Amino acid sequence: MQYKPNRLIGIFLLFVLSYATAQENIGQREKVKITSPLIDQQDQVTFNLFAPEAKEVFVQGNWNDKKQEMKKVDGVWTLTTEALQSDLYLYSFIVDQVKIQDPLNIYQMRDVNTNFSYFITGGNQSKAYTINDVAHGTVSKRWYASPTLGTTRRMTVYTPPNYEEGKQKYPVLYLLHGMGGDEEAWETLGRATQILDNLIAEGKVKPMIVVMPNGHTSNQAAPGESAKGLYPVEFMLPDVGTSDMERSFIDIIQFVESNYRVKKEKASRAIAGLSMGGSHTLFISSYLNNYFDYVGLFSAAFRLRANNESPVYTEFESNLERQKKNGYKLYWIGMGKTDFLYKIGEDYRKKLDAIQMPYTYRESEGGHTWSNWRLYLTEFLPQLF
Amino acid sequence: MQYKPNRLIGIFLLFVLSYATAQENIGQREKVKITSPLIDQQDQVTFNLFAPEAKEVFVQGNWNDKKQEMKKVDGVWTLTTEALQSDLYLYSFIVDQVKIQDPLNIYQMRDVNTNFSYFITGGNQSKAYTINDVAHGTVSKRWYASPTLGTTRRMTVYTPPNYEEGKQKYPVLYLLHGMGGDEEAWETLGRATQILDNLIAEGKVKPMIVVMPNGHTSNQAAPGESAKGLYPVEFMLPDVGTSDMERSFIDIIQFVESNYRVKKEKASRAIAGLSMGGSHTLFISSYLNNYFDYVGLFSAAFRLRANNESPVYTEFESNLERQKKNGYKLYWIGMGKTDFLYKIGEDYRKKLDAIQMPYTYRESEGGHTWSNWRLYLTEFLPQLF
């Protein structure tokens, strides 16, 4: 077979046409020539949906409490938001009662049991969330054995740029998700990888390893990532407040300290978590009361069940006293003004005040949201190690 | 603050309600009480979509050439397929001309520039695609420098179970994607991680490292994973046939051999790719004609552009002669009977016959599909190392 340019171009076109018919979406996009979402210089965002037969279309996004009705122009439903703050946003369309992702936006992520489309606006805060031309760390999905639970489980591990090439030992942050999350949540919704890469590149954050385990101890891994298979994900509940996460946490520390080049000392260990993960953080750091010099409670829940008499909970007061006595460098509490756990947090701070246990308190606008948890992470990280 | 069971249960319920209102989908699911997809013992699959206002709903899946019309029963559109073969399937719904993923199925993956819902039927072949209770390898997203291209790029790396704990050195398979893919394609659509875990656990495949680079050299990474940001993904074309992937491949080998515990010898290197990645494999293995003992061409394209006079292409005949002379253990060609590249493959085999270059040929049913590429991987892997 000799090279025959005309023939090869023919093959090439055949290739293209083959793909075009296999992926009908491409044809539709070319026909309609619309894009969604479009973000302008003022961070006003325009959504477009080609749905000529629909009677009623809404966009529902987490920049607004209410769903917003879109207008139909030549078969294309459209809406432009006001200027949005610098952040990452999730949204859906509701087309005649059916909730869908934006068919023109391939960027999606799962929150609890729903897939959402997402976008990132410009501005200062979101610079930490975008991928920039900086050195990138490695993100791994790794399985570890938990002798306490008698099972193997999956974690996400961030190792900083140049970790693999060097011989340096690193400090470790254990970063825990909330009740609706799993070992993928901080990586996707939390943009932890991007935040670490960007703040390390700016010299604001020390290079560190970040370990993101799965806090639902009856699951080995995120939905679809274990031998449970592709099961329908309902609301996750039974794992909360069993003390299994707290009791088995030592397995995670031991695994990390045996398998990564890390500094094995209190001054080089941090733990933080959001909501249920804040509850885990609070109880783990008091149970293992001489392990962590840095503790972060992000919109933390307190104990979520009362029917478990594990020493993790029953000895909490004395453990907390021990933690205070053993000493630490930072006990950081972040809470949004409109968070439904605000009162819980206030009571917990009173408790700490009563025993004169020092902490740093950061009150932000807003509520129980990933917007706050990403913000807290960008503020917490520079204070570590 | 003392433990007050009633109060804590109240907090707990508040928690649940908060999530339930934030995630409207949960409410809808409870109201309608439907599940989709449902796979029965005979691998007949039932889809359900609650869309009471819709006039016309189709399911379009890759088990059928045509979209299939669904029937409306009490506001729920439904369809049951015939018994499907053992495989992973992608599908969408088309609701009054709008193509959507199944809102009740959280399991989705991207193919080229479209997100699809997916499911896996039972049976023998798909046992290699599901996650089973076996030891799991680690999957990493890793950045490497390419001096030839003057940039950093992202790859997916599979390391086998116990890689991190041991001191053993492993062989390496370089596994390349097609024109519509990127460094995520073999992991998601190709189920490479599951196939490796399962076949290694069965003792059918030797533990190995699998490196899945990005074959579009003008991109650093998959859509949304580089500093290009969240751009709309159109059909990817300009990178094809530039010889950049072939010329820069040595950077990948050198990076892997400097950064992983691998055997640095021809007998421990394999390369395989599908479609465009088959073309890459063919030219890389002839250009670096004494590097690989194992070569796999899955539905391989041949040269995709004729306007590039790189020695990778112009010296192909003499390189192929050298590759033959240097020797190798396996040159495996897989092709589907109805593949649009069938004739190209036939011509290429004639070329190999003419120079008496040995190869193994596997002709399967079907065409240019992931179903075939997953199948070829399960057949190719046991022959390596």
Side-chain angles (χ1 to χ4, degrees), chain A residues 1-3 5 7-8 11-12 14-16 18-19 23-26 28-29 35 49-53 55 60 94 96-101 103 105-108 110-116 118-120 131-133 136-143 164-165 179-180 194 220 223-227 229-235 237 240 255 259 275-276 283 301-306 313 316-317 340-341 343-344 347-348 351 368, chain B residues 1 3 5 7-8 11-12 14-16 18-19 23-26 28-29 35 49-53 55 60 94 96-101 103 105-108 110-116 118-120 131-133 136-143 164-165 178-180 194 220 223-227 229-235 237 240 255 259 275-276 283 301-306 313 316-317 340-341 343-344 347-348 351 368:
Chain A
M1 190 166 98
Q2 293 297 308
Y3 298 124
R7 186 180 167 202
L8 286 163
I11 292 159
F12 182 62
L14 183 61
F15 222 78
V16 175
S18 159
Y19 268 95
Q23 311 297 333
E24 290 200 358
N25 201 341
I26 294 172
Q28 184 187 311
R29 190 174 309 183
T35 303
L49 176 72
F50 176 70
E53 304 288 329
K55 287 179 203 137
Q60 181 169 39
I94 304 169
D96 293 338
Q97 300 184 54
V98 183
K99 196 179 210 173
I100 68 171
Q101 291 104 285
N105 182 357
I106 61 159
Y107 302 105
Q108 305 186 356
R110 179 175 58 82
D111 189 11
V112 194
N113 61 359
T114 307
N115 291 304
F116 293 93
Y118 76 93
F119 61 89
I120 299 176
I131 299 175
N132 300 305
D133 263 328
H136 301 295
T138 299
V139 180
S140 301
K141 297 285 188 280
R142 177 110 185 243
W143 288 77
E164 294 94 339
E165 289 86 352
M179 190 154 61
Q194 289 75 34
Q220 291 181 284
E225 298 294 342
S226 75
L230 306 175
Y231 58 93
V233 180
E234 300 299 337
F235 185 66
L237 218 58
V240 173
F255 175 81
N259 283 278
S275 194
M276 176 186 85
F283 286 108
F302 197 62
R303 189 189 180 186
L304 293 170
R305 273 190 184 178
Y313 307 128
F316 175 58
E317 267 80 9
F340 75 96
L341 294 177
K343 182 71 169 61
I344 303 287
D347 288 346
Y348 186 62
K351 184 185 193 77
H368 206 72
Chain B
M1 191 165 98
Y3 298 123
R7 184 178 169 205
L8 287 163
I11 293 160
F12 183 61
L14 184 62
F15 221 80
V16 174
S18 158
Y19 268 96
Q23 311 297 333
E24 291 200 358
N25 200 342
I26 295 172
Q28 184 187 311
R29 192 173 308 182
T35 303
L49 175 73
F50 176 70
E53 303 289 328
K55 288 179 202 136
Q60 181 169 41
I94 303 169
D96 293 337
Q97 299 183 54
V98 182
K99 196 180 211 173
I100 67 170
Q101 291 103 286
N105 182 357
I106 61 158
Y107 302 104
Q108 306 186 355
R110 179 174 58 83
D111 189 11
V112 193
N113 61 359
T114 306
N115 291 304
F116 294 93
Y118 75 93
F119 61 89
I120 300 175
I131 298 175
N132 300 304
D133 264 328
H136 301 295
T138 298
V139 180
S140 302
K141 296 285 188 280
R142 176 110 188 245
W143 288 78
E164 294 94 339
E165 288 86 352
M179 190 153 63
Q194 289 76 33
Q220 291 180 282
E225 298 294 341
S226 75
L230 306 174
Y231 58 93
V233 179
E234 300 300 335
F235 184 67
L237 219 57
V240 173
F255 175 81
N259 283 277
S275 194
M276 176 185 85
F283 285 109
F302 196 61
R303 188 188 180 186
L304 293 170
R305 270 189 184 179
Y313 307 129
F316 175 59
E317 267 78 11
F340 74 95
L341 294 176
K343 181 70 169 60
I344 304 288
D347 289 346
Y348 186 63
K351 185 185 191 75
H368 206 72

Side-chain angles (χ1 to χ4, degrees), chain B residues 206-223:
Chain B
K206 295 212 174 57
M208 66 180 80
I209 292 175
V210 182
V211 174
M212 295 161 265
N214 183 312
H216 289 287
T217 48
S218 73
N219 294 328
Q220 291 180 282

Side-chain angles (χ1 to χ4, degrees), chain A residues 6 11 18 119 150 161 217 332 365:
Chain A
N6 285 344
I11 292 159
S18 159
F119 61 89
T217 47
W332 194 92
E365 299 300 316

Side-chain angles (χ1 to χ4, degrees), chain B residues 58-348:
Chain B
F58 297 90
V59 60
Q60 181 169 41
N62 61 356
W63 58 88
N64 204 321
D65 289 337
K66 288 182 198 162
K67 59 186 183 183
Q68 296 170 275
E69 193 164 3
M70 297 172 80
K71 287 221 169 77
K72 191 174 169 181
V73 182
D74 296 334
V76 176
W77 296 81
T78 189
L79 179 131
T80 300
T81 68
E82 296 181 5
L84 300 184
Q85 285 195 305
S86 179
D87 209 340
L88 180 153
Y89 294 92
L90 304 184
Y91 69 103
S92 307
F93 293 144
I94 303 169
V95 183
D96 293 337
Q97 299 183 54
V98 182
K99 196 180 211 173
I100 67 170
Q101 291 103 286
D102 184 342
L104 295 176
N105 182 357
I106 61 158
Y107 302 104
Q108 306 186 355
M109 51 174 75
R110 179 174 58 83
D111 189 11
V112 193
N113 61 359
T114 306
N115 291 304
F116 294 93
S117 301
Y118 75 93
F119 61 89
I120 300 175
T121 51
N124 205 42
Q125 184 62 26
S126 65
K127 269 184 198 146
Y129 310 153
T130 55
I131 298 175
N132 300 304
D133 264 328
V134 298
H136 301 295
T138 298
V139 180
S140 302
K141 296 285 188 280
R142 176 110 188 245
W143 288 78
Y144 69 98
S146 173
T148 306
L149 299 172
T151 185
T152 57
R153 313 192 68 234
R154 191 171 176 257
M155 53 167 66
T156 301
V157 181
Y158 171 87
T159 47
N162 306 316
Y163 169 80
E164 294 94 339
E165 288 86 352
K167 298 201 167 172
Q168 190 189 336
K169 292 186 175 177
Y170 293 88
V172 183
L173 165 64
Y174 298 88
L175 189 57
L176 312 183
H177 62 78
M179 190 153 63
D182 52 57
E183 76 276 17
E184 297 178 347
W186 268 111
E187 185 198 356
T188 54
L189 293 147
R191 300 294 279 185
T193 307
Q194 289 76 33
I195 291 169
L196 265 292
D197 279 353
N198 290 323
L199 298 189
I200 290 171
E202 285 186 67
K204 289 182 180 164
V205 165
K206 295 212 174 57
M208 66 180 80
I209 292 175
V210 182
V211 174
M212 295 161 265
N214 183 312
H216 289 287
T217 48
S218 73
N219 294 328
Q220 291 180 282
E225 298 294 341
S226 75
K228 274 191 181 178
L230 306 174
Y231 58 93
V233 179
E234 300 300 335
F235 184 67
M236 289 175 255
L237 219 57
D239 287 335
V240 173
T242 62
S243 86
D244 283 350
M245 187 62 183
E246 291 91 338
R247 287 186 307 104
S248 65
F249 204 81
I250 192 70
D251 298 344
I252 293 173
I253 296 174
Q254 285 174 353
F255 175 81
V256 169
E257 297 192 351
S258 311
N259 283 277
Y260 291 86
R261 287 199 325 278
V262 299
K263 296 181 183 168
K264 303 175 190 182
E265 64 205 15
K266 187 176 172 180
S268 300
R269 288 192 206 103
I271 184 166
L274 72 93
S275 194
M276 176 185 85
S279 175
H280 285 153
T281 296
L282 185 160
F283 285 109
I284 290 165
S285 66
S286 57
Y287 184 62
L288 304 175
N289 47 62
N290 206 17
Y291 268 75
F292 302 97
D293 254 351
Y294 305 88
V295 176
L297 308 182
F298 301 173
S299 312
F302 196 61
R303 188 188 180 186
L304 293 170
R305 270 189 184 179
N307 59 353
N308 183 298
E309 294 306 312
S310 162
V312 167
Y313 307 129
T314 58
E315 294 172 19
F316 175 59
E317 267 78 11
S318 52
N319 285 336
L320 205 58
E321 284 286 354
R322 280 184 209 106
Q323 188 178 6
K324 186 182 84 171
K325 199 176 147 203
N326 291 329
Y328 50 82
K329 292 179 185 152
L330 180 68
Y331 199 100
W332 194 92
I333 298 175
M335 184 63 83
K337 283 177 185 164
T338 61
D339 196 308
F340 74 95
L341 294 176
Y342 186 88
K343 181 70 169 60
I344 304 288
E346 197 171 36
D347 289 346
Y348 186 63

Side-chain angles (χ1 to χ4, degrees), chain A residues 304-331:
Chain A
L304 293 170
R305 273 190 184 178
N307 58 352
N308 184 298
E309 294 306 313
S310 162
V312 168
Y313 307 128
T314 57
E315 294 172 19
F316 175 58
E317 267 80 9
S318 52
N319 285 337
L320 206 58
E321 284 286 356
R322 280 184 209 107
Q323 188 178 6
K324 187 183 83 170
K325 197 175 149 205
N326 291 329
Y328 50 82
K329 292 181 183 149
L330 180 69
Y331 199 100

